[in-house]
Amino acid sequence: MTDLSLDKKSLEQKDELAEKNEARLLKKKAVVDQRIAAATEERGVTILLTGNGKGKSSSAFGTMARALGHGQKSAVIQFIKGRKATGEQLFFGSHPLVDFHVMGHGFTWETRNPELEKEAAEQAWELAKRVLADPSVHFVLLDEITYMYKYGYLNEDDLIAALAARPVHQNVMMTGRTAPRVLLDSVDTHSKIANERHAFANGVKAQIGIEW
């Protein structure tokens, strides 16, 4: 077979592959278009981020930044108090469209006082209920809330009821490593972040701007 014949055959094979690839993409596009056309309901959604991997709160705050970019009023309630202010609190705390609340004297990773923690959790939840009933708030972040159910400080049925009764346009994100089954089964979107590797396990010290 001559070089010219080989070149012609090679071109024909390339054309055939291109046609198959185009047909595959068109078929995929048709499926996506069909799903988009079927998604006609307009309402706020509930999103739960769990798992042992790093990035749950970071993802939630990133989503809130997106909401703020569209001028949507937002509220944050953090259910775990750290030793120092986080970068998120320092940045978003003074934003005119953000109400930022950190649970007072209760749950921390450094000390454990169950009575104090339960009292603080209940106070934070009372605030959360008001936010979840406020139609002026478009985006709500309940950061680290799932730990309150793990330790029995709050009743998950109260959360489910508040989510169901919230304003129809309101979006809610919740974070924590684990969550009660009733919450897992009720949210619109659930993403689980896995831990493949973490710098701390290799002796790298936690640092400002990354861990807080």
Side-chain angles (χ1 to χ4, degrees), residues 114-152:
E115 291 185 4
L116 198 61
E117 290 171 2
K118 189 174 189 305
E119 178 186 347
E122 290 172 347
Q123 291 174 358
W125 173 240
E126 287 301 316
L127 177 60
K129 284 195 296 184
R130 292 197 294 271
V131 170
L132 290 169
D134 187 346
S136 72
V137 179
H138 284 76
F139 180 91
V140 179
L141 170 53
L142 304 177
D143 193 34
E144 312 282 16
I145 189 174
T146 66
Y147 295 99
M148 303 303 106
Y149 307 106
K150 177 180 179 180
Y151 291 100

PDB file of all heavy atoms in Angstrom, residues 114-152:
ATOM      1  N   PRO A 114     -20.532  19.823  79.110  1.00  0.00           N
ATOM      2  CA  PRO A 114     -21.817  19.476  78.487  1.00  0.00           C
ATOM      3  C   PRO A 114     -22.966  20.404  78.861  1.00  0.00           C
ATOM      4  O   PRO A 114     -23.772  20.762  77.984  1.00  0.00           O
ATOM      5  CB  PRO A 114     -22.055  18.046  78.987  1.00  0.00           C
ATOM      6  CG  PRO A 114     -20.682  17.505  79.209  1.00  0.00           C
ATOM      7  CD  PRO A 114     -19.898  18.667  79.737  1.00  0.00           C
ATOM      8  N   GLU A 115     -23.063  20.810  80.108  1.00  0.00           N
ATOM      9  CA  GLU A 115     -24.178  21.672  80.517  1.00  0.00           C
ATOM     10  C   GLU A 115     -24.092  23.028  79.834  1.00  0.00           C
ATOM     11  O   GLU A 115     -25.087  23.569  79.344  1.00  0.00           O
ATOM     12  CB  GLU A 115     -24.186  21.829  82.037  1.00  0.00           C
ATOM     13  CG  GLU A 115     -24.563  20.557  82.782  1.00  0.00           C
ATOM     14  CD  GLU A 115     -24.674  20.781  84.273  1.00  0.00           C
ATOM     15  OE1 GLU A 115     -24.531  21.952  84.708  1.00  0.00           O
ATOM     16  OE2 GLU A 115     -24.900  19.810  85.008  1.00  0.00           O
ATOM     17  N   LEU A 116     -22.894  23.588  79.817  1.00  0.00           N
ATOM     18  CA  LEU A 116     -22.680  24.879  79.175  1.00  0.00           C
ATOM     19  C   LEU A 116     -22.892  24.789  77.675  1.00  0.00           C
ATOM     20  O   LEU A 116     -23.484  25.672  77.051  1.00  0.00           O
ATOM     21  CB  LEU A 116     -21.269  25.385  79.476  1.00  0.00           C
ATOM     22  CG  LEU A 116     -20.995  26.876  79.268  1.00  0.00           C
ATOM     23  CD1 LEU A 116     -21.873  27.723  80.175  1.00  0.00           C
ATOM     24  CD2 LEU A 116     -19.529  27.172  79.516  1.00  0.00           C
ATOM     25  N   GLU A 117     -22.425  23.694  77.101  1.00  0.00           N
ATOM     26  CA  GLU A 117     -22.565  23.495  75.660  1.00  0.00           C
ATOM     27  C   GLU A 117     -24.035  23.376  75.257  1.00  0.00           C
ATOM     28  O   GLU A 117     -24.459  23.948  74.249  1.00  0.00           O
ATOM     29  CB  GLU A 117     -21.802  22.243  75.239  1.00  0.00           C
ATOM     30  CG  GLU A 117     -20.291  22.396  75.323  1.00  0.00           C
ATOM     31  CD  GLU A 117     -19.571  21.086  75.123  1.00  0.00           C
ATOM     32  OE1 GLU A 117     -20.250  20.060  74.876  1.00  0.00           O
ATOM     33  OE2 GLU A 117     -18.339  21.068  75.198  1.00  0.00           O
ATOM     34  N   LYS A 118     -24.803  22.640  76.020  1.00  0.00           N
ATOM     35  CA  LYS A 118     -26.224  22.468  75.715  1.00  0.00           C
ATOM     36  C   LYS A 118     -26.968  23.798  75.800  1.00  0.00           C
ATOM     37  O   LYS A 118     -27.798  24.122  74.951  1.00  0.00           O
ATOM     38  CB  LYS A 118     -26.867  21.459  76.664  1.00  0.00           C
ATOM     39  CG  LYS A 118     -28.289  21.059  76.266  1.00  0.00           C
ATOM     40  CD  LYS A 118     -28.818  19.954  77.167  1.00  0.00           C
ATOM     41  CE  LYS A 118     -30.135  19.395  76.633  1.00  0.00           C
ATOM     42  NZ  LYS A 118     -31.174  20.407  76.423  1.00  0.00           N
ATOM     43  N   GLU A 119     -26.647  24.581  76.825  1.00  0.00           N
ATOM     44  CA  GLU A 119     -27.276  25.898  76.975  1.00  0.00           C
ATOM     45  C   GLU A 119     -26.946  26.793  75.788  1.00  0.00           C
ATOM     46  O   GLU A 119     -27.824  27.464  75.232  1.00  0.00           O
ATOM     47  CB  GLU A 119     -26.799  26.554  78.273  1.00  0.00           C
ATOM     48  CG  GLU A 119     -27.366  27.943  78.492  1.00  0.00           C
ATOM     49  CD  GLU A 119     -26.764  28.617  79.719  1.00  0.00           C
ATOM     50  OE1 GLU A 119     -26.108  27.932  80.517  1.00  0.00           O
ATOM     51  OE2 GLU A 119     -26.950  29.849  79.854  1.00  0.00           O
ATOM     52  N   ALA A 120     -25.674  26.786  75.374  1.00  0.00           N
ATOM     53  CA  ALA A 120     -25.264  27.619  74.235  1.00  0.00           C
ATOM     54  C   ALA A 120     -25.900  27.135  72.937  1.00  0.00           C
ATOM     55  O   ALA A 120     -26.300  27.938  72.090  1.00  0.00           O
ATOM     56  CB  ALA A 120     -23.739  27.604  74.112  1.00  0.00           C
ATOM     57  N   ALA A 121     -25.994  25.825  72.778  1.00  0.00           N
ATOM     58  CA  ALA A 121     -26.609  25.268  71.576  1.00  0.00           C
ATOM     59  C   ALA A 121     -28.072  25.680  71.483  1.00  0.00           C
ATOM     60  O   ALA A 121     -28.561  26.038  70.401  1.00  0.00           O
ATOM     61  CB  ALA A 121     -26.490  23.746  71.577  1.00  0.00           C
ATOM     62  N   GLU A 122     -28.765  25.640  72.586  1.00  0.00           N
ATOM     63  CA  GLU A 122     -30.178  26.025  72.593  1.00  0.00           C
ATOM     64  C   GLU A 122     -30.344  27.507  72.268  1.00  0.00           C
ATOM     65  O   GLU A 122     -31.271  27.887  71.534  1.00  0.00           O
ATOM     66  CB  GLU A 122     -30.784  25.699  73.955  1.00  0.00           C
ATOM     67  CG  GLU A 122     -30.927  24.195  74.207  1.00  0.00           C
ATOM     68  CD  GLU A 122     -31.349  23.881  75.627  1.00  0.00           C
ATOM     69  OE1 GLU A 122     -31.297  24.797  76.483  1.00  0.00           O
ATOM     70  OE2 GLU A 122     -31.726  22.718  75.887  1.00  0.00           O
ATOM     71  N   GLN A 123     -29.444  28.341  72.786  1.00  0.00           N
ATOM     72  CA  GLN A 123     -29.505  29.772  72.476  1.00  0.00           C
ATOM     73  C   GLN A 123     -29.238  30.015  70.988  1.00  0.00           C
ATOM     74  O   GLN A 123     -29.924  30.830  70.348  1.00  0.00           O
ATOM     75  CB  GLN A 123     -28.488  30.528  73.330  1.00  0.00           C
ATOM     76  CG  GLN A 123     -28.823  30.559  74.811  1.00  0.00           C
ATOM     77  CD  GLN A 123     -27.721  31.194  75.638  1.00  0.00           C
ATOM     78  OE1 GLN A 123     -26.672  31.580  75.118  1.00  0.00           O
ATOM     79  NE2 GLN A 123     -27.951  31.309  76.943  1.00  0.00           N
ATOM     80  N   ALA A 124     -28.252  29.307  70.450  1.00  0.00           N
ATOM     81  CA  ALA A 124     -27.939  29.454  69.021  1.00  0.00           C
ATOM     82  C   ALA A 124     -29.105  28.965  68.159  1.00  0.00           C
ATOM     83  O   ALA A 124     -29.414  29.558  67.124  1.00  0.00           O
ATOM     84  CB  ALA A 124     -26.668  28.685  68.683  1.00  0.00           C
ATOM     85  N   TRP A 125     -29.749  27.898  68.587  1.00  0.00           N
ATOM     86  CA  TRP A 125     -30.874  27.369  67.822  1.00  0.00           C
ATOM     87  C   TRP A 125     -32.054  28.332  67.836  1.00  0.00           C
ATOM     88  O   TRP A 125     -32.758  28.475  66.830  1.00  0.00           O
ATOM     89  CB  TRP A 125     -31.285  26.001  68.350  1.00  0.00           C
ATOM     90  CG  TRP A 125     -32.532  25.474  67.707  1.00  0.00           C
ATOM     91  CD1 TRP A 125     -33.705  25.140  68.309  1.00  0.00           C
ATOM     92  CD2 TRP A 125     -32.738  25.252  66.304  1.00  0.00           C
ATOM     93  NE1 TRP A 125     -34.627  24.730  67.390  1.00  0.00           N
ATOM     94  CE2 TRP A 125     -34.064  24.781  66.141  1.00  0.00           C
ATOM     95  CE3 TRP A 125     -31.933  25.408  65.177  1.00  0.00           C
ATOM     96  CZ2 TRP A 125     -34.594  24.473  64.900  1.00  0.00           C
ATOM     97  CZ3 TRP A 125     -32.469  25.108  63.937  1.00  0.00           C
ATOM     98  CH2 TRP A 125     -33.780  24.646  63.794  1.00  0.00           C
ATOM     99  N   GLU A 126     -32.297  29.006  68.950  1.00  0.00           N
ATOM    100  CA  GLU A 126     -33.369  29.997  68.996  1.00  0.00           C
ATOM    101  C   GLU A 126     -33.115  31.093  67.969  1.00  0.00           C
ATOM    102  O   GLU A 126     -34.046  31.556  67.292  1.00  0.00           O
ATOM    103  CB  GLU A 126     -33.477  30.598  70.401  1.00  0.00           C
ATOM    104  CG  GLU A 126     -34.074  29.669  71.434  1.00  0.00           C
ATOM    105  CD  GLU A 126     -35.484  29.216  71.065  1.00  0.00           C
ATOM    106  OE1 GLU A 126     -36.287  30.072  70.633  1.00  0.00           O
ATOM    107  OE2 GLU A 126     -35.772  28.012  71.182  1.00  0.00           O
ATOM    108  N   LEU A 127     -31.876  31.493  67.847  1.00  0.00           N
ATOM    109  CA  LEU A 127     -31.511  32.486  66.841  1.00  0.00           C
ATOM    110  C   LEU A 127     -31.691  31.915  65.437  1.00  0.00           C
ATOM    111  O   LEU A 127     -32.220  32.584  64.542  1.00  0.00           O
ATOM    112  CB  LEU A 127     -30.064  32.925  67.048  1.00  0.00           C
ATOM    113  CG  LEU A 127     -29.495  33.918  66.035  1.00  0.00           C
ATOM    114  CD1 LEU A 127     -30.306  35.211  66.022  1.00  0.00           C
ATOM    115  CD2 LEU A 127     -28.033  34.214  66.359  1.00  0.00           C
ATOM    116  N   ALA A 128     -31.281  30.661  65.256  1.00  0.00           N
ATOM    117  CA  ALA A 128     -31.405  30.029  63.941  1.00  0.00           C
ATOM    118  C   ALA A 128     -32.866  29.941  63.513  1.00  0.00           C
ATOM    119  O   ALA A 128     -33.191  30.161  62.341  1.00  0.00           O
ATOM    120  CB  ALA A 128     -30.782  28.635  63.976  1.00  0.00           C
ATOM    121  N   LYS A 129     -33.750  29.632  64.443  1.00  0.00           N
ATOM    122  CA  LYS A 129     -35.177  29.543  64.107  1.00  0.00           C
ATOM    123  C   LYS A 129     -35.713  30.881  63.611  1.00  0.00           C
ATOM    124  O   LYS A 129     -36.522  30.912  62.668  1.00  0.00           O
ATOM    125  CB  LYS A 129     -35.973  29.072  65.331  1.00  0.00           C
ATOM    126  CG  LYS A 129     -35.847  27.593  65.621  1.00  0.00           C
ATOM    127  CD  LYS A 129     -36.916  27.116  66.602  1.00  0.00           C
ATOM    128  CE  LYS A 129     -36.776  27.769  67.955  1.00  0.00           C
ATOM    129  NZ  LYS A 129     -37.769  27.208  68.917  1.00  0.00           N
ATOM    130  N   ARG A 130     -35.265  31.961  64.221  1.00  0.00           N
ATOM    131  CA  ARG A 130     -35.718  33.284  63.765  1.00  0.00           C
ATOM    132  C   ARG A 130     -35.215  33.576  62.360  1.00  0.00           C
ATOM    133  O   ARG A 130     -35.945  34.128  61.527  1.00  0.00           O
ATOM    134  CB  ARG A 130     -35.247  34.363  64.747  1.00  0.00           C
ATOM    135  CG  ARG A 130     -35.915  34.279  66.114  1.00  0.00           C
ATOM    136  CD  ARG A 130     -35.753  35.571  66.881  1.00  0.00           C
ATOM    137  NE  ARG A 130     -34.379  35.851  67.240  1.00  0.00           N
ATOM    138  CZ  ARG A 130     -33.798  35.427  68.366  1.00  0.00           C
ATOM    139  NH1 ARG A 130     -34.491  34.677  69.225  1.00  0.00           N
ATOM    140  NH2 ARG A 130     -32.547  35.726  68.634  1.00  0.00           N
ATOM    141  N   VAL A 131     -33.981  33.210  62.100  1.00  0.00           N
ATOM    142  CA  VAL A 131     -33.406  33.436  60.772  1.00  0.00           C
ATOM    143  C   VAL A 131     -34.127  32.582  59.725  1.00  0.00           C
ATOM    144  O   VAL A 131     -34.439  33.049  58.619  1.00  0.00           O
ATOM    145  CB  VAL A 131     -31.895  33.111  60.779  1.00  0.00           C
ATOM    146  CG1 VAL A 131     -31.348  33.112  59.356  1.00  0.00           C
ATOM    147  CG2 VAL A 131     -31.141  34.120  61.639  1.00  0.00           C
ATOM    148  N   LEU A 132     -34.420  31.325  60.076  1.00  0.00           N
ATOM    149  CA  LEU A 132     -35.084  30.421  59.140  1.00  0.00           C
ATOM    150  C   LEU A 132     -36.529  30.823  58.859  1.00  0.00           C
ATOM    151  O   LEU A 132     -37.136  30.327  57.906  1.00  0.00           O
ATOM    152  CB  LEU A 132     -35.043  28.991  59.676  1.00  0.00           C
ATOM    153  CG  LEU A 132     -33.663  28.318  59.688  1.00  0.00           C
ATOM    154  CD1 LEU A 132     -33.714  27.018  60.476  1.00  0.00           C
ATOM    155  CD2 LEU A 132     -33.169  28.074  58.268  1.00  0.00           C
ATOM    156  N   ALA A 133     -37.067  31.711  59.674  1.00  0.00           N
ATOM    157  CA  ALA A 133     -38.442  32.190  59.463  1.00  0.00           C
ATOM    158  C   ALA A 133     -38.477  33.585  58.850  1.00  0.00           C
ATOM    159  O   ALA A 133     -39.561  34.133  58.614  1.00  0.00           O
ATOM    160  CB  ALA A 133     -39.195  32.198  60.790  1.00  0.00           C
ATOM    161  N   ASP A 134     -37.303  34.151  58.565  1.00  0.00           N
ATOM    162  CA  ASP A 134     -37.212  35.530  58.080  1.00  0.00           C
ATOM    163  C   ASP A 134     -37.195  35.554  56.548  1.00  0.00           C
ATOM    164  O   ASP A 134     -36.214  35.132  55.925  1.00  0.00           O
ATOM    165  CB  ASP A 134     -35.930  36.167  58.628  1.00  0.00           C
ATOM    166  CG  ASP A 134     -35.835  37.649  58.305  1.00  0.00           C
ATOM    167  OD1 ASP A 134     -36.610  38.126  57.448  1.00  0.00           O
ATOM    168  OD2 ASP A 134     -34.980  38.326  58.909  1.00  0.00           O
ATOM    169  N   PRO A 135     -38.222  36.054  55.906  1.00  0.00           N
ATOM    170  CA  PRO A 135     -38.272  36.065  54.439  1.00  0.00           C
ATOM    171  C   PRO A 135     -37.270  37.012  53.791  1.00  0.00           C
ATOM    172  O   PRO A 135     -37.027  36.915  52.586  1.00  0.00           O
ATOM    173  CB  PRO A 135     -39.713  36.507  54.144  1.00  0.00           C
ATOM    174  CG  PRO A 135     -40.143  37.260  55.356  1.00  0.00           C
ATOM    175  CD  PRO A 135     -39.456  36.608  56.507  1.00  0.00           C
ATOM    176  N   SER A 136     -36.670  37.902  54.567  1.00  0.00           N
ATOM    177  CA  SER A 136     -35.677  38.814  53.985  1.00  0.00           C
ATOM    178  C   SER A 136     -34.314  38.149  53.815  1.00  0.00           C
ATOM    179  O   SER A 136     -33.440  38.678  53.130  1.00  0.00           O
ATOM    180  CB  SER A 136     -35.525  40.065  54.857  1.00  0.00           C
ATOM    181  OG  SER A 136     -34.845  39.772  56.068  1.00  0.00           O
ATOM    182  N   VAL A 137     -34.130  36.986  54.443  1.00  0.00           N
ATOM    183  CA  VAL A 137     -32.855  36.264  54.354  1.00  0.00           C
ATOM    184  C   VAL A 137     -32.940  35.220  53.250  1.00  0.00           C
ATOM    185  O   VAL A 137     -33.782  34.327  53.290  1.00  0.00           O
ATOM    186  CB  VAL A 137     -32.511  35.583  55.697  1.00  0.00           C
ATOM    187  CG1 VAL A 137     -31.191  34.823  55.578  1.00  0.00           C
ATOM    188  CG2 VAL A 137     -32.422  36.614  56.814  1.00  0.00           C
ATOM    189  N   HIS A 138     -32.060  35.327  52.271  1.00  0.00           N
ATOM    190  CA  HIS A 138     -32.068  34.401  51.135  1.00  0.00           C
ATOM    191  C   HIS A 138     -31.166  33.190  51.357  1.00  0.00           C
ATOM    192  O   HIS A 138     -31.426  32.116  50.825  1.00  0.00           O
ATOM    193  CB  HIS A 138     -31.622  35.120  49.856  1.00  0.00           C
ATOM    194  CG  HIS A 138     -32.665  36.006  49.268  1.00  0.00           C
ATOM    195  ND1 HIS A 138     -32.986  37.242  49.789  1.00  0.00           N
ATOM    196  CD2 HIS A 138     -33.486  35.831  48.204  1.00  0.00           C
ATOM    197  CE1 HIS A 138     -33.937  37.791  49.069  1.00  0.00           C
ATOM    198  NE2 HIS A 138     -34.260  36.956  48.103  1.00  0.00           N
ATOM    199  N   PHE A 139     -30.079  33.368  52.109  1.00  0.00           N
ATOM    200  CA  PHE A 139     -29.111  32.291  52.290  1.00  0.00           C
ATOM    201  C   PHE A 139     -28.771  32.156  53.762  1.00  0.00           C
ATOM    202  O   PHE A 139     -28.417  33.132  54.422  1.00  0.00           O
ATOM    203  CB  PHE A 139     -27.836  32.567  51.495  1.00  0.00           C
ATOM    204  CG  PHE A 139     -26.787  31.490  51.627  1.00  0.00           C
ATOM    205  CD1 PHE A 139     -26.760  30.428  50.732  1.00  0.00           C
ATOM    206  CD2 PHE A 139     -25.845  31.533  52.643  1.00  0.00           C
ATOM    207  CE1 PHE A 139     -25.795  29.427  50.865  1.00  0.00           C
ATOM    208  CE2 PHE A 139     -24.896  30.539  52.777  1.00  0.00           C
ATOM    209  CZ  PHE A 139     -24.864  29.484  51.881  1.00  0.00           C
ATOM    210  N   VAL A 140     -28.868  30.926  54.280  1.00  0.00           N
ATOM    211  CA  VAL A 140     -28.569  30.652  55.687  1.00  0.00           C
ATOM    212  C   VAL A 140     -27.495  29.577  55.765  1.00  0.00           C
ATOM    213  O   VAL A 140     -27.614  28.525  55.121  1.00  0.00           O
ATOM    214  CB  VAL A 140     -29.822  30.173  56.445  1.00  0.00           C
ATOM    215  CG1 VAL A 140     -29.477  29.882  57.909  1.00  0.00           C
ATOM    216  CG2 VAL A 140     -30.927  31.213  56.360  1.00  0.00           C
ATOM    217  N   LEU A 141     -26.462  29.835  56.557  1.00  0.00           N
ATOM    218  CA  LEU A 141     -25.418  28.837  56.802  1.00  0.00           C
ATOM    219  C   LEU A 141     -25.445  28.451  58.275  1.00  0.00           C
ATOM    220  O   LEU A 141     -25.208  29.286  59.152  1.00  0.00           O
ATOM    221  CB  LEU A 141     -24.042  29.391  56.425  1.00  0.00           C
ATOM    222  CG  LEU A 141     -22.824  28.552  56.839  1.00  0.00           C
ATOM    223  CD1 LEU A 141     -22.956  27.113  56.350  1.00  0.00           C
ATOM    224  CD2 LEU A 141     -21.534  29.194  56.339  1.00  0.00           C
ATOM    225  N   LEU A 142     -25.750  27.181  58.531  1.00  0.00           N
ATOM    226  CA  LEU A 142     -25.718  26.627  59.885  1.00  0.00           C
ATOM    227  C   LEU A 142     -24.451  25.780  59.974  1.00  0.00           C
ATOM    228  O   LEU A 142     -24.458  24.571  59.724  1.00  0.00           O
ATOM    229  CB  LEU A 142     -26.978  25.801  60.150  1.00  0.00           C
ATOM    230  CG  LEU A 142     -28.303  26.548  59.941  1.00  0.00           C
ATOM    231  CD1 LEU A 142     -29.486  25.604  60.168  1.00  0.00           C
ATOM    232  CD2 LEU A 142     -28.396  27.769  60.857  1.00  0.00           C
ATOM    233  N   ASP A 143     -23.360  26.444  60.327  1.00  0.00           N
ATOM    234  CA  ASP A 143     -22.037  25.824  60.266  1.00  0.00           C
ATOM    235  C   ASP A 143     -21.787  24.944  61.486  1.00  0.00           C
ATOM    236  O   ASP A 143     -21.956  25.375  62.621  1.00  0.00           O
ATOM    237  CB  ASP A 143     -20.976  26.931  60.179  1.00  0.00           C
ATOM    238  CG  ASP A 143     -19.612  26.394  59.798  1.00  0.00           C
ATOM    239  OD1 ASP A 143     -19.553  25.428  59.013  1.00  0.00           O
ATOM    240  OD2 ASP A 143     -18.606  26.946  60.286  1.00  0.00           O
ATOM    241  N   GLU A 144     -21.371  23.694  61.236  1.00  0.00           N
ATOM    242  CA  GLU A 144     -21.064  22.706  62.287  1.00  0.00           C
ATOM    243  C   GLU A 144     -22.286  22.341  63.134  1.00  0.00           C
ATOM    244  O   GLU A 144     -22.148  21.857  64.255  1.00  0.00           O
ATOM    245  CB  GLU A 144     -19.935  23.232  63.212  1.00  0.00           C
ATOM    246  CG  GLU A 144     -18.734  23.801  62.488  1.00  0.00           C
ATOM    247  CD  GLU A 144     -17.794  22.735  61.927  1.00  0.00           C
ATOM    248  OE1 GLU A 144     -18.217  21.565  61.829  1.00  0.00           O
ATOM    249  OE2 GLU A 144     -16.654  23.072  61.589  1.00  0.00           O
ATOM    250  N   ILE A 145     -23.473  22.530  62.613  1.00  0.00           N
ATOM    251  CA  ILE A 145     -24.680  22.268  63.402  1.00  0.00           C
ATOM    252  C   ILE A 145     -24.868  20.786  63.698  1.00  0.00           C
ATOM    253  O   ILE A 145     -25.442  20.411  64.731  1.00  0.00           O
ATOM    254  CB  ILE A 145     -25.933  22.828  62.706  1.00  0.00           C
ATOM    255  CG1 ILE A 145     -27.142  22.747  63.657  1.00  0.00           C
ATOM    256  CG2 ILE A 145     -26.206  22.129  61.385  1.00  0.00           C
ATOM    257  CD1 ILE A 145     -28.388  23.388  63.128  1.00  0.00           C
ATOM    258  N   THR A 146     -24.387  19.902  62.835  1.00  0.00           N
ATOM    259  CA  THR A 146     -24.693  18.483  63.025  1.00  0.00           C
ATOM    260  C   THR A 146     -24.098  17.917  64.304  1.00  0.00           C
ATOM    261  O   THR A 146     -24.598  16.922  64.834  1.00  0.00           O
ATOM    262  CB  THR A 146     -24.202  17.642  61.830  1.00  0.00           C
ATOM    263  OG1 THR A 146     -22.774  17.675  61.777  1.00  0.00           O
ATOM    264  CG2 THR A 146     -24.793  18.152  60.531  1.00  0.00           C
ATOM    265  N   TYR A 147     -23.030  18.539  64.831  1.00  0.00           N
ATOM    266  CA  TYR A 147     -22.449  18.058  66.089  1.00  0.00           C
ATOM    267  C   TYR A 147     -23.430  18.223  67.248  1.00  0.00           C
ATOM    268  O   TYR A 147     -23.357  17.488  68.236  1.00  0.00           O
ATOM    269  CB  TYR A 147     -21.153  18.816  66.401  1.00  0.00           C
ATOM    270  CG  TYR A 147     -20.068  18.550  65.389  1.00  0.00           C
ATOM    271  CD1 TYR A 147     -19.815  19.457  64.362  1.00  0.00           C
ATOM    272  CD2 TYR A 147     -19.306  17.391  65.437  1.00  0.00           C
ATOM    273  CE1 TYR A 147     -18.833  19.221  63.427  1.00  0.00           C
ATOM    274  CE2 TYR A 147     -18.313  17.141  64.497  1.00  0.00           C
ATOM    275  CZ  TYR A 147     -18.088  18.062  63.499  1.00  0.00           C
ATOM    276  OH  TYR A 147     -17.120  17.816  62.556  1.00  0.00           O
ATOM    277  N   MET A 148     -24.330  19.178  67.136  1.00  0.00           N
ATOM    278  CA  MET A 148     -25.290  19.404  68.209  1.00  0.00           C
ATOM    279  C   MET A 148     -26.251  18.219  68.348  1.00  0.00           C
ATOM    280  O   MET A 148     -26.758  17.956  69.439  1.00  0.00           O
ATOM    281  CB  MET A 148     -26.090  20.686  67.940  1.00  0.00           C
ATOM    282  CG  MET A 148     -25.229  21.945  67.778  1.00  0.00           C
ATOM    283  SD  MET A 148     -24.156  22.295  69.185  1.00  0.00           S
ATOM    284  CE  MET A 148     -22.528  21.807  68.518  1.00  0.00           C
ATOM    285  N   TYR A 149     -26.458  17.494  67.252  1.00  0.00           N
ATOM    286  CA  TYR A 149     -27.314  16.314  67.291  1.00  0.00           C
ATOM    287  C   TYR A 149     -26.516  15.077  67.692  1.00  0.00           C
ATOM    288  O   TYR A 149     -27.024  14.186  68.366  1.00  0.00           O
ATOM    289  CB  TYR A 149     -28.003  16.124  65.942  1.00  0.00           C
ATOM    290  CG  TYR A 149     -28.718  17.379  65.518  1.00  0.00           C
ATOM    291  CD1 TYR A 149     -28.214  18.195  64.514  1.00  0.00           C
ATOM    292  CD2 TYR A 149     -29.873  17.791  66.185  1.00  0.00           C
ATOM    293  CE1 TYR A 149     -28.848  19.367  64.165  1.00  0.00           C
ATOM    294  CE2 TYR A 149     -30.514  18.961  65.848  1.00  0.00           C
ATOM    295  CZ  TYR A 149     -29.986  19.755  64.839  1.00  0.00           C
ATOM    296  OH  TYR A 149     -30.608  20.936  64.509  1.00  0.00           O
ATOM    297  N   LYS A 150     -25.259  15.056  67.313  1.00  0.00           N
ATOM    298  CA  LYS A 150     -24.385  13.943  67.708  1.00  0.00           C
ATOM    299  C   LYS A 150     -24.273  13.857  69.225  1.00  0.00           C
ATOM    300  O   LYS A 150     -24.274  12.757  69.802  1.00  0.00           O
ATOM    301  CB  LYS A 150     -23.002  14.127  67.085  1.00  0.00           C
ATOM    302  CG  LYS A 150     -22.000  13.056  67.498  1.00  0.00           C
ATOM    303  CD  LYS A 150     -20.646  13.287  66.858  1.00  0.00           C
ATOM    304  CE  LYS A 150     -19.649  12.222  67.298  1.00  0.00           C
ATOM    305  NZ  LYS A 150     -18.304  12.430  66.680  1.00  0.00           N
ATOM    306  N   TYR A 151     -24.186  15.005  69.883  1.00  0.00           N
ATOM    307  CA  TYR A 151     -24.030  15.023  71.338  1.00  0.00           C
ATOM    308  C   TYR A 151     -25.359  15.177  72.079  1.00  0.00           C
ATOM    309  O   TYR A 151     -25.377  15.293  73.297  1.00  0.00           O
ATOM    310  CB  TYR A 151     -23.065  16.134  71.741  1.00  0.00           C
ATOM    311  CG  TYR A 151     -21.646  15.844  71.320  1.00  0.00           C
ATOM    312  CD1 TYR A 151     -21.102  16.440  70.175  1.00  0.00           C
ATOM    313  CD2 TYR A 151     -20.853  14.950  72.036  1.00  0.00           C
ATOM    314  CE1 TYR A 151     -19.808  16.155  69.776  1.00  0.00           C
ATOM    315  CE2 TYR A 151     -19.570  14.670  71.637  1.00  0.00           C
ATOM    316  CZ  TYR A 151     -19.042  15.262  70.515  1.00  0.00           C
ATOM    317  OH  TYR A 151     -17.767  14.974  70.099  1.00  0.00           O
ATOM    318  N   GLY A 152     -26.454  15.199  71.338  1.00  0.00           N
ATOM    319  CA  GLY A 152     -27.767  15.230  71.962  1.00  0.00           C
ATOM    320  C   GLY A 152     -28.163  16.565  72.552  1.00  0.00           C
ATOM    321  O   GLY A 152     -29.056  16.631  73.404  1.00  0.00           O
TER     322      GLY A 152
END
